[in-house]
Amino acid sequence: EGAGRVHTSTISVAIIPDAETADFEVKETELRFEVMRASGAGGQSVNCTESAVRCVHIPTGIEVKCMDERSQHRNKAKAIKLVTARLYDAHRRKEMEDASAVRKSLTGSGDRSERIRTFNYAQDRVTDHRVQTSVFGVNGFLDGSVLIDNMIEILHRQDANLRVQHMK
């Protein structure tokens, strides 16, 4: 800057571990099945065979009624697939909400008043505002020298002290 003004900016960074996706399966013991006669148009066999299946996932109450096929066994298999798909969708939605909450808690609002660390290149100083500690040598800090190790050690001590205070 030619006029000597200092430009500042802010950035929010969240480091979140990858969640491993496991195979999603529903235990047959968690399901309750009911058979009934299918309803609607469909000819002679609709009202005289119990081919329609209602499948209820007992823990969540998710219910699926399937009467697409003429066979009870095929309707049951289709109902199980539909219940599993709905449960998986609910599971993924909850995981995404949880991840979003974690991300929000880590980054905050991104407002400049939420500053954690200041890198002042003009004074060759790094200040961590959580522990009110400054170290000199911005490039060394960013290169991973002993300066960053010292800052991490101070942060660990503060975290341990806070945990002890919360236990009291």
Side-chain angles (χ1 to χ4, degrees):
E1 173 69 31
R5 291 183 293 239
V6 177
H7 293 274
T8 60
S9 58
T10 171
I11 184 170
S12 295
V13 178
I15 301 172
I16 302 171
D18 265 347
E20 297 198 16
T21 56
D23 290 331
F24 189 82
E25 75 179 55
V26 178
K27 296 178 183 134
E28 187 119 0
T29 57
E30 296 178 339
L31 300 175
R32 183 180 72 230
F33 297 99
E34 299 171 15
V35 293
M36 65 203 84
R37 292 189 175 129
S39 62
Q44 300 168 1
S45 64
V46 171
N47 294 322
C48 60
T49 61
E50 293 192 342
S51 60
V53 176
R54 178 184 293 129
C55 180
V56 179
H57 185 251
I58 298 166
T60 61
I62 292 176
E63 179 181 314
V64 170
K65 188 175 179 183
C66 189
M67 54 184 162
D68 298 342
E69 305 289 334
R70 296 180 88 178
S71 162
Q72 186 184 107
H73 297 292
R74 283 185 284 204
N75 279 333
K76 181 178 177 182
K78 200 170 194 178
I80 290 172
K81 283 183 181 180
L82 288 170
V83 166
T84 303
R86 289 185 185 174
L87 286 170
Y88 181 72
D89 184 49
H91 175 74
R92 288 291 301 149
R93 204 173 319 115
K94 181 172 180 350
E95 277 185 346
M96 291 175 75
E97 287 171 3
D98 292 347
S100 177
V102 166
R103 190 177 302 110
K104 180 72 177 159
S105 73
L106 289 175
T107 58
S109 67
D111 190 38
R112 293 177 65 159
S113 64
E114 287 185 335
R115 64 185 182 184
I116 292 175
R117 194 171 291 135
T118 299
F119 295 86
N120 188 321
Y121 286 93
Q123 297 176 3
D124 196 30
R125 174 178 49 86
V126 178
T127 302
D128 195 304
H129 300 283
R130 297 169 293 183
V131 288
Q132 289 80 36
T133 302
S134 294
V135 294
F136 292 91
V138 173
N139 289 330
F141 187 88
L142 294 175
D143 288 339
S145 71
V146 71
L147 297 173
I148 196 165
D149 294 335
N150 293 343
M151 187 73 75
I152 291 170
E153 184 180 318
I154 292 168
L155 287 166
H156 280 303
R157 276 192 300 230
Q158 183 195 27
D159 183 52
N161 289 340
L162 287 173
R163 288 176 192 243
V164 168
Q165 288 175 358
H166 281 85
M167 289 173 41
K168 291 181 181 178

